[in-house]
Amino acid sequence: MPKSAKKRKDKAADFTSPLYALLDQLRLYLAQYSVAIALPSQSISQERNDDAPTTKRKLSFDDLVSHTKHYSPSTRKAYVTAQELLDAIVGFRELLEADWSLLDSSLTVLINACVRLIGDEDASVRKALLAFLSWLLPRIPQGDITPHAPLLLLFTTSAQTHIFPDIRIDAIRFLDLFLEYIPRAVTTGWLEDFNGHGTRVLEGYLGILNAGTKFGEADGPVQATSTASVVLTPAFCLSNDTRLSTSASRHSSSSLNTWFLLPSFARPRDYYSFEQILQGSQSSTRNHCQWREIVDPEDNEDNFPGTFTAADTPTVSDDFNLQKLVDISNVIGPSESDAVNDRGAELIVRLARTLQSTLIATFLDCAPSIFMPGGNPSETQVQLVLAVGQIARTLYGVILQASVSSKMKNAASDDLNTLLGYMTPYFPFTSGTKDVKVGQAFQDLNLIFSELTSLLVLTTNVEISRLTRRRKARQINSWVPGNKFHNSLSIQTQRVSTYILRLLDGEPVSGSQLGRTLAPAAYVSLLPAIWALLNDNGSAHHESNDSAILNAVISHSMKTSSKSALKRLTIEFVARLILLSTDPRYHGHFRLDHDPSGTAKVQEWVSHLPQPLWEIGASNFPVSEIITRFLLRIIQQKSRVVYLSTTITVLRSKLVPFFTINHSIRGRLPGPYSKIPMGSPLRRLILDLAATVLSATKAGVGDELRTAVGLSVLGSEEEAYWAQIQDIAVK
């Protein structure tokens, strides 16, 4: 009997133990893969809106948002696949394309759903989201997307520091997109303090670039690491980031930015006053109307052709948004902005110091394979080296022009000279490949090298002048010939000089290439280097370089077609070089009267100006006004270079066809002057020039020009004006 009870007990235990184990496994399985059912969110308890727009898969906007709710892969695998996420992103675009008004009430919900996918571990999801945002952001006003910028940047900067490299690189692509459409939000903070999104973005860039020391640390070893394995996009994004933050440092109201002339004047206001000499009235193309006491309403002429600055840029208008509200601080607080710029310059100094080893390592990694003779360089490596140059130009261009201490400038000059020292053996950068993109990248790199060299030369000249005024001979010795810094800079200057001479003459940079015409942007990039060579007082071959460069610049300006967009830039630059010789406030080393051959070339250039003035005529008012204003100013100032009887005689004879033309068959014909609209200030400005030329000649000389002008203004508004200034010219 006891034995029977024991057997029944053991048999029951054998049954319950596996049962409990099975139930426990079932409980764990259900806890892991089951999802709690919330009855309030089920369709059975809600009234479905059949009028709501749906996709082809019959999913509404709320349905698509629910598919993106769980962005964690471990949770999403239970009920949402990556394909469903892709379908949700595609569905958003499908709904918005069908009904854009849906965005007005759902923008916040849409942004909240999208930002969580920026750091998704599935590459296809990130790619689809990037394509969707690339389509969406251009269609949304910047004022509407700006309030959501902090949320977008919060998840993007978080993705920049993700453990997986692919997610970090994709975060850079998202920042590329945000830099294009909300640039201020991306860069705000890192110049003023270390609390904004800009600081986290910049630290993320430096982390991907393996830049060593964390940005913002005043001291600490900066360890150079190779970046050859880093994808190209981070370098370009860093270049864009710094350029957007510092682009205002070279702002000028002139059409030609001549920031490099500023150190040649004792005070900044003297430089800005000099720049106003060629500044036009900005009204040559302005519409004018005749004043009448009584206006017929049916004529539709009751307009106001004047230019009103306040009305052109209204503070409040229909399209006023949050971004414009932020920009108001730039108008009402200039002194505060200047202080921010000074602080920003010091931060850029530290940033350049942080990136110094990375830039050098990147260049050294790529240079041997790129510049190998007869090689076929990789486009990725070429663009990466170009990015190194762009970053260096952006950073050092700000540092060497900013109001920072001499110690900081000297340290930055040494760092830049070190970087250029590694580039010098390969300059000018050439390649035997026929790839257009690679060829353009090499030309851009050559222009960047020339501009960086000019920055060093200009900074050196300013430093020598400062030390000379303070009579610090011991410190001057570190800049004179024989010093290592000066020797390397002299080699770089000589190579840049040869490169510029070939470029201006249209010669090929290397034997395997063909010469080509300079683009306006390339010409503007060359101007700092040209001026540095003309104004350099430390080169051993300065005089020969000065003469050759000046002749090449003037010859290039004369050869450029009047219809070319480059003609205006060449005329403005050469005109400034000539006007500098007559300005008493200028104290630079460059002087026209130091070189007799250069003086003769300048006279030839001045004598040729009536030709482009006649060819351009009324087709390009700004260029015509610049030519007229320059000739007027240079004669009024009685420059020794131009104010000669031969030059005045040539100008007087060549200006006649601009007013009237004597044709052998058709007789007397009106010149380009007649095509200038009545009431345009350019008409009177040209009359001022003609009267000034006549006043510079002897009495009784110049009747041909006086007659031509009189015939061209006969019966017009300017007839009385010409009679008045003509009498002054005769006297």
Side-chain angles (χ1 to χ4, degrees), residues 341-395:
N341 290 336
D342 292 340
R343 293 196 301 269
E346 296 180 0
L347 296 178
I348 294 175
V349 170
R350 295 203 308 229
L351 176 60
R353 187 62 179 169
T354 302
L355 285 173
Q356 170 70 5
S357 58
T358 302
L359 297 179
I360 293 177
T362 303
F363 181 82
L364 293 179
D365 284 343
C366 301
S369 59
I370 292 177
F371 305 117
M372 180 184 302
N376 188 17
S378 168
E379 183 180 350
T380 301
Q381 289 186 325
V382 171
Q383 294 297 330
L384 186 56
V385 170
L386 179 60
V388 170
Q390 290 173 338
I391 293 172
R393 178 179 59 182
T394 301
L395 295 177

Side-chain angles (χ1 to χ4, degrees), residues 50-69:
D50 296 332
D51 297 333
T54 59
T55 64
K56 295 178 181 179
R57 300 173 59 242
K58 304 301 181 181
L59 295 176
S60 64
F61 183 84
D62 294 335
D63 296 333
L64 297 176
V65 171
S66 65
H67 286 181
T68 64
K69 185 176 181 181

Side-chain angles (χ1 to χ4, degrees), residues 130-209:
L130 182 63
F132 173 67
L133 292 179
S134 301
W135 172 84
L136 178 66
L137 293 183
R139 291 167 170 78
I140 302 178
Q142 191 180 45
D144 294 342
I145 197 64
T146 299
H148 303 281
L151 186 63
L152 290 168
L153 294 175
L154 177 64
F155 282 86
T156 306
T157 52
S158 176
Q160 271 188 296
T161 59
H162 200 277
I163 189 173
F164 294 138
D166 293 343
I167 297 180
R168 297 200 299 267
I169 298 303
D170 282 344
I172 299 300
R173 296 189 175 96
F174 283 104
L175 286 174
D176 243 343
L177 184 63
F178 299 152
L179 276 171
E180 184 175 357
Y181 298 108
I182 47 173
R184 187 180 296 273
V186 179
T187 57
T188 296
W190 76 275
L191 283 180
E192 291 83 1
D193 50 52
F194 294 100
N195 297 322
H197 289 289
T199 303
R200 290 190 288 272
V201 170
L202 195 59
E203 288 178 353
Y205 280 139
L206 298 181
I208 295 177
L209 287 172

Side-chain angles (χ1 to χ4, degrees), residues 136-397:
L136 178 66
L137 293 183
R139 291 167 170 78
I140 302 178
Q142 191 180 45
D144 294 342
I145 197 64
T146 299
H148 303 281
L151 186 63
L152 290 168
L153 294 175
L154 177 64
F155 282 86
T156 306
T157 52
S158 176
Q160 271 188 296
T161 59
H162 200 277
I163 189 173
F164 294 138
D166 293 343
I167 297 180
R168 297 200 299 267
I169 298 303
D170 282 344
I172 299 300
R173 296 189 175 96
F174 283 104
L175 286 174
D176 243 343
L177 184 63
F178 299 152
L179 276 171
E180 184 175 357
Y181 298 108
I182 47 173
R184 187 180 296 273
V186 179
T187 57
T188 296
W190 76 275
L191 283 180
E192 291 83 1
D193 50 52
F194 294 100
N195 297 322
H197 289 289
T199 303
R200 290 190 288 272
V201 170
L202 195 59
E203 288 178 353
Y205 280 139
L206 298 181
I208 295 177
L209 287 172
N210 297 324
T213 303
K214 181 180 178 182
F215 171 69
E217 294 181 357
D219 300 316
V222 182
Q223 301 177 356
T225 55
S226 173
T227 59
S229 60
V230 178
V231 176
L232 176 65
T233 308
F236 272 117
C237 287
L238 180 58
S239 177
N240 291 334
D241 187 18
T242 53
R243 186 179 295 110
L244 285 168
S245 301
T246 60
S247 59
S249 62
R250 291 188 180 180
H251 174 72
S252 175
S253 60
S254 173
S255 58
L256 182 67
N257 195 340
T258 56
W259 56 269
F260 43 85
L261 297 179
L262 179 59
S264 299
F265 292 85
R267 295 172 296 182
R269 64 180 181 181
D270 294 339
Y271 162 73
Y272 295 120
S273 177
F274 169 77
E275 282 293 299
Q276 292 298 320
I277 295 177
L278 288 180
Q279 294 303 305
S281 59
Q282 304 297 332
S283 59
S284 297
T285 58
R286 189 187 305 168
N287 295 324
H288 292 76
C289 63
Q290 185 75 21
W291 167 260
R292 292 180 295 174
E293 294 183 1
I294 301 176
V295 180
D296 187 357
E298 296 181 358
D299 291 341
N300 295 324
E301 293 185 357
D302 53 340
N303 56 358
F304 298 91
T307 299
F308 306 96
T309 306
D312 289 341
T313 55
T315 305
V316 180
S317 60
D318 295 338
D319 60 344
F320 187 75
N321 51 38
L322 183 61
Q323 187 62 44
K324 291 185 178 180
L325 182 63
V326 175
D327 293 339
I328 292 179
S329 60
N330 296 331
V331 178
I332 64 176
S335 58
E336 183 179 354
S337 300
D338 294 340
V340 170
N341 290 336
D342 292 340
R343 293 196 301 269
E346 296 180 0
L347 296 178
I348 294 175
V349 170
R350 295 203 308 229
L351 176 60
R353 187 62 179 169
T354 302
L355 285 173
Q356 170 70 5
S357 58
T358 302
L359 297 179
I360 293 177
T362 303
F363 181 82
L364 293 179
D365 284 343
C366 301
S369 59
I370 292 177
F371 305 117
M372 180 184 302
N376 188 17
S378 168
E379 183 180 350
T380 301
Q381 289 186 325
V382 171
Q383 294 297 330
L384 186 56
V385 170
L386 179 60
V388 170
Q390 290 173 338
I391 293 172
R393 178 179 59 182
T394 301
L395 295 177
Y396 292 106

Side-chain angles (χ1 to χ4, degrees), residues 417-438:
N417 188 51
T418 302
L419 177 61
L420 293 180
Y422 290 107
M423 294 183 172
T424 302
Y426 303 101
F427 182 82
F429 309 105
T430 58
S431 175
T433 182
K434 296 182 180 180
D435 192 336
V436 177
K437 292 184 179 180
V438 174

